């Protein structure tokens, strides 16, 4: 106490001094070291950000449109394999690459867009990862068609708000609970008896086909593969707490020093007690109290939640960004169709006992109270800029944004055959493999259905990129409308009797199938019910 008294008295005297004098006193007595460290850290962060931007600028991106066959019988489990294949792009840079070269982990953007009612599935990746994506898709969907297309956001990337022509509503969806709790998976949509999948994508597809001219809906799932290994302390804490085990947080440096001191004190106490019968005060050994815990004490709901959490933690982990933008002209902008209906379709992935989605507070283009117009315009510009750049960092906090491939496949997968949304782009014919003896360059072009490269004036070849356009019809170029067959012409000559041409007819053998069909009463006699109404063709113009 003799050393603390003068120090407290000195602080009391400084309270009556000039604040500048007090600040200079602390700065001159060692505070300058802390200021220099903070300033150096800020300069290093700015420099590293520039290095990361330079590293990112070396990447070249492609946007791929995927069309699957109309009779798609694959379940979302096939898309789960595609997301698992994305883990092949995960890299572990060393310290020099990470903190000096600015190396970044590559991300993939899985998107579903509705351009005036025309629905398309898209994937954006780097040119170096294109083969990885195409191989993963063709492995599960051999008859799929993959086409490189132009970026549909480039015409709107420089929009400013408030805008006299367009209005925008956007948000970034965040998890309601901690990331170890999973969302409702596609496995929960399977019928328990028949095993038929009630596709959770059906409601969203039906809504996206209802947008008309001047309206667009963009959904984006930016996925970043993470390093294989444990999911983190939060996951371990939740699992042990639910299973009745004691959670011990990871020890810090001070905890390790304290542990060494405790071991030394306990050993010294043991030696003194055995030799001379002395004991150090406060060094009694702590006895662990074992709890009689039985998993049978868990309720069925708690068991189910624990099984879901452990199933999620057994799979690969991905960091994700889930964004939505509804863009439309002012005269057709409809919040009920473009916002409420879409959010309602996304809410089906929510579960009260596990996890779900909600619009993020920082990114949702909705403000209250003061300066609403200015704050709303700023949020609209930010969410549009973040969507166009497909960033995996800016926006909502990324600390809790972790999912496994099963959850990602639930959110983004190709609709199954039972989904009858008319304007979802699908392949109209089966894709055949090129001949095995075809030269390599020609075989690659045949697999991708690319024309031979045209020669420019300089002798360099170029390949055009097909744009995404709601004015479809793709089939008009390949359909050949043949003229109807003309009846045979019979020449007539004067004075001769008209002759009728005779056709050679092969004798018919009696057929059991034919006789059974003749004896079967007609459908009109037995009153057949009306046929099921089919969906309109995908290339039907919007009225």
């Amino acid at each position: 106490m003799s050393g603390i008294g003068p120090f407290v008295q000195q602080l009391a005297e400084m309270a009556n001094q000039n604040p500048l004098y007090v600040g200079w006193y602390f700065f001159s007595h060692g505070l300058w070291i802390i200021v220099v460290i903070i300033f150096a850290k800020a300069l290093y962060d700015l420099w590293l950000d520039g290095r990361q931007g330079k590293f990112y600028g070396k990447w070249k991106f492609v946007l791929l449109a995927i069309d699957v066959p109309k009779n798609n019988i694959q379940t979302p489990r096939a898309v789960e394999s595609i997301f698992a294949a994305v883990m092949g792009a995960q890299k572990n840079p060393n310290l020099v690459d990470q903190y000096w070269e600015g190396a970044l982990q590559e991300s993939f953007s899985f998107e579903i867009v509705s351009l005036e009612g025309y629905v398309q599935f898209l994937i954006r990746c780097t040119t170096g990862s294109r083969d990885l994506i195409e191989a993963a898709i063709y492995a599960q969907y051999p008859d799929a068609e993959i086409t490189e297309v132009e970026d549909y956001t480039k015409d709107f990337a420089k929009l400013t708000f408030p805008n006299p022509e367009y209005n925008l509503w956007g948000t970034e969806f965040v998890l309601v609970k901690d990331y170890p709790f999973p969302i409702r998976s596609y496995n929960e949509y399977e019928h328990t008896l028949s095993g038929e999948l009630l596709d959770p994508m059906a409601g969203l597809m039906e809504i996206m086909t209802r947008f008309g001219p001047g309206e667009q809906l963009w959904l984006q799932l930016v996925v970043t593969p993470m390093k294989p290994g444990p999911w983190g302390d939060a996951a371990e804490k939740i699992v042990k707490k639910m299973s009745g085990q004691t959670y011990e947080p990871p020890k810090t440096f001070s905890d390790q020093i304290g542990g060494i001191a405790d071991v030394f004190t306990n050993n010294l106490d043991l030696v003194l007690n055995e030799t001379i019968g002395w004991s150090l005060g406060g060094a009694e050994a702590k006895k662990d109290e074992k709890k009689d815990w039985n998993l049978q004490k868990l309720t069925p709901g708690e068991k189910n939640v624990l099984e879901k959490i452990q199933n999620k933690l057994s799979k690969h982990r991905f960091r994700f960004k889930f964004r939505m933008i509804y863009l439309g002209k002012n005269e057709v902008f409809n919040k009920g169709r473009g916002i409420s209906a879409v959010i309602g379709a996304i809410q089906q992935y929510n579960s009260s006992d596990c996890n779900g989605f909600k619009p993020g507070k920082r990114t949702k283009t909705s403000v209250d109270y003061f300066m609403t117009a200015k704050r709303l315009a700023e949020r609209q510009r930010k969410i549009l800029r973040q969507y166009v750049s497909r960033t995996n960092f800016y926006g909502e906090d990324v600390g809790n944004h972790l999912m496994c491939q099963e959850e990602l496949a639930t959110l983004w997968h190709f609709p199954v055959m039972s989904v009858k949304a008319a304007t979802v782009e699908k392949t109209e014919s089966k894709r055949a493999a090129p001949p095995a003896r075809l030269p390599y360059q020609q075989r690659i072009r045949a697999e991708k259905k690319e024309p031979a490269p045209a020669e420019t004036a300089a002798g360099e070849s170029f390949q055009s990129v097909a744009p995404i356009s709601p004015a479809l019809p793709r089939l008009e170029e390949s359909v050949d409308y043949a003229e109807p067959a003309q009846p045979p012409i019979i020449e007539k000559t004067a004075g001769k009797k008209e002759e009728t041409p005779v056709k050679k007819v092969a004798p018919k053998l009696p057929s059991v199938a034919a006789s059974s069909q003749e004896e079967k009463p007609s459908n009109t006699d037995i009153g057949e019910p009306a046929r099921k109404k089919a969906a309109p063709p995908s290339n039907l113009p919007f009225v």
Side-chain angles (χ1 to χ4, degrees):
M1 294 297 294
S2 60
I4 299 178
F7 179 73
V8 174
Q9 185 178 1
Q10 188 177 6
L11 290 178
E13 293 177 356
M14 285 186 179
N16 300 325
Q17 299 293 333
N18 189 345
L20 295 178
Y21 171 78
V22 176
W24 173 253
Y25 176 82
F26 284 105
F27 183 79
S28 61
H29 285 71
L31 186 63
W32 64 271
I33 300 177
I34 300 177
V35 174
V36 170
I37 293 175
I38 295 175
F39 185 72
K41 180 63 168 60
L43 289 180
Y44 172 76
D45 290 341
L46 291 175
W47 176 83
L48 183 61
D49 186 68
R51 298 286 290 180
Q52 291 176 345
K54 185 177 180 180
F55 185 88
Y56 181 84
K58 297 178 181 179
W59 287 341
K60 302 298 181 183
F61 296 94
V62 292
L63 188 64
L64 305 177
I66 297 94
D67 302 332
V68 297
K70 292 191 297 183
N71 298 329
N72 174 34
I73 60 175
Q74 292 278 36
T75 64
R77 194 176 300 274
V79 181
E80 186 177 345
S81 301
I82 296 176
F83 282 106
V86 172
M87 284 295 297
Q90 199 278 328
K91 297 179 177 59
N92 296 319
N94 56 36
L95 297 178
V96 175
D97 293 338
Q98 188 173 0
Y99 296 106
W100 181 261
E101 298 294 338
L104 297 173
Q105 174 59 50
E106 180 184 352
S107 299
F108 299 82
S109 182
F110 294 80
E111 304 170 5
I112 309 175
V113 297
S114 174
L115 308 179
E116 299 183 352
Y118 161 68
V119 182
Q120 181 68 68
F121 286 75
L122 302 162
I123 299 178
R124 196 198 76 152
C125 62
T126 62
T127 54
S129 298
R130 178 172 181 174
D131 290 336
L132 183 149
I133 293 294
E134 291 184 348
I137 294 175
Y138 284 137
Q140 303 298 329
Y141 301 90
D143 298 329
E145 290 186 359
I146 303 177
T147 310
E148 182 181 352
V149 295
E150 293 180 353
D151 192 353
Y152 59 94
T153 65
K154 68 176 184 178
D155 294 333
F156 306 98
K158 297 183 179 180
L159 280 182
T160 58
F161 297 92
N163 192 281
E165 186 178 2
Y166 286 95
N167 196 359
L168 181 146
W169 193 94
T171 189
E172 186 176 308
F173 292 101
V174 298
L175 294 175
V176 176
K177 298 181 181 180
D178 292 336
Y179 68 85
F181 292 93
I183 63 172
R184 192 178 181 187
S185 171
Y186 65 85
N187 292 321
E188 302 180 45
Y189 290 89
E190 293 183 356
H191 196 278
T192 55
L193 298 179
S194 64
E196 181 182 359
L197 176 66
L198 304 177
D199 196 346
M201 192 72 73
L204 182 62
M205 292 293 101
E206 186 63 31
I207 294 170
M208 298 183 77
T209 59
R210 292 178 177 270
F211 292 102
E215 292 180 292
Q216 296 190 16
L217 178 70
W218 306 343
L219 293 176
Q220 181 184 87
L221 190 63
V222 182
V223 175
T224 306
M226 302 293 290
K227 183 179 179 180
W231 282 65
D233 297 334
E236 184 180 358
K237 181 179 180 181
I238 290 175
V239 171
K240 288 190 174 182
K241 181 179 178 181
M242 294 189 65
S243 58
Q245 304 178 26
T246 302
Y247 171 72
E248 296 181 0
K251 295 182 178 180
T252 60
F253 179 76
S254 60
D255 295 334
Q256 294 176 357
I257 297 298
I260 295 175
D262 292 339
V263 172
F264 175 78
T265 305
N266 293 335
N267 291 335
L268 180 61
D269 179 71
L270 182 62
V271 171
L272 293 176
N273 189 18
E274 291 180 355
T275 55
I276 59 178
W278 289 0
S279 177
L280 298 177
E284 297 180 359
K286 298 181 180 179
K287 297 181 179 180
D288 296 334
E289 298 180 359
K290 296 184 179 180
K291 297 182 179 179
D292 183 16
W293 184 265
N294 191 348
L295 290 179
Q296 298 297 330
K297 294 181 179 180
L298 294 176
T299 64
E302 292 174 341
K303 284 184 179 179
N304 186 29
V305 172
L306 183 59
E307 291 176 358
K308 290 180 180 179
I309 294 176
Q310 291 179 331
N311 176 64
K312 175 178 179 177
L313 300 181
S314 66
K315 299 178 181 292
H316 298 296
R317 57 174 179 160
F318 300 83
R319 193 173 69 212
F320 75 96
K321 286 284 187 178
F322 189 17
R323 299 187 180 96
M324 165 194 165
I325 284 184
Y326 170 53
L327 181 67
K329 294 186 177 181
N330 294 326
E331 57 269 18
V332 296
F333 193 83
N334 189 334
K335 289 187 176 181
R337 177 173 58 243
I339 302 175
S340 301
V342 176
I343 292 181
I346 294 176
Q347 291 297 311
Q348 65 181 327
Y349 303 117
N350 291 17
S351 177
S352 59
D353 59 348
C354 283
N355 218 331
F357 293 106
K358 65 179 181 179
K361 295 181 179 179
R362 294 171 52 184
T363 55
K364 183 175 66 172
T365 55
S366 176
V367 294
D368 298 317
Y369 306 120
F370 59 93
M371 300 176 62
T372 56
K374 183 177 180 180
R375 293 165 56 205
L376 176 61
E378 181 63 22
R379 289 195 177 190
Q380 289 174 327
R381 288 192 293 268
K382 281 185 177 180
I383 190 66
L384 179 61
R385 184 167 60 250
Q386 292 166 6
Y387 188 101
V388 172
S389 62
R390 275 91 173 179
T391 175
N392 66 335
F393 181 77
Y394 296 104
E396 299 289 342
D397 183 21
V398 298
N400 195 41
H401 289 187
L402 294 176
M403 279 189 173
C404 66
Q405 65 264 32
E406 180 179 333
E407 296 173 290
L408 296 176
T410 303
L411 296 175
W412 193 97
H413 65 266
F414 305 109
V416 298
M417 185 170 54
S418 60
V419 179
K420 300 299 182 180
T423 56
V424 179
E425 183 61 17
K426 299 179 181 179
T427 57
E428 300 292 340
S429 58
K430 188 174 181 180
R431 176 179 176 269
R437 295 185 178 181
L438 195 65
Y440 177 76
Q441 295 296 337
Q442 298 183 24
R443 185 168 72 251
I444 294 300
R445 287 199 297 267
E447 290 177 352
K448 298 182 179 180
K449 296 188 177 182
E450 298 175 352
E455 296 293 332
T456 59
E460 299 178 354
S461 61
F462 69 93
Q463 178 183 354
S464 59
V465 179
I468 299 180
S469 175
L472 278 180
R474 295 185 180 178
L475 299 178
E476 292 182 1
E477 299 178 0
S478 59
V479 176
D480 185 13
Y481 297 97
E483 295 291 336
Q486 299 294 334
I489 300 176
I490 302 175
E491 297 182 357
K492 296 181 179 180
T493 56
K496 293 184 178 181
K497 186 178 179 181
E498 181 180 349
E499 297 181 358
T500 305
V502 179
K503 297 181 180 180
K504 295 181 179 181
V505 182
K508 281 189 176 182
L509 297 177
S511 173
V512 177
S515 60
S516 62
Q517 291 179 0
E518 293 177 359
E519 295 175 0
K520 184 179 179 180
S522 62
N523 293 335
T524 56
D525 297 337
I526 62 176
E528 182 186 5
R531 293 185 177 179
K532 184 178 178 181
K533 183 179 178 182
S538 59
N539 58 353
L540 188 66
F542 183 85
V543 180

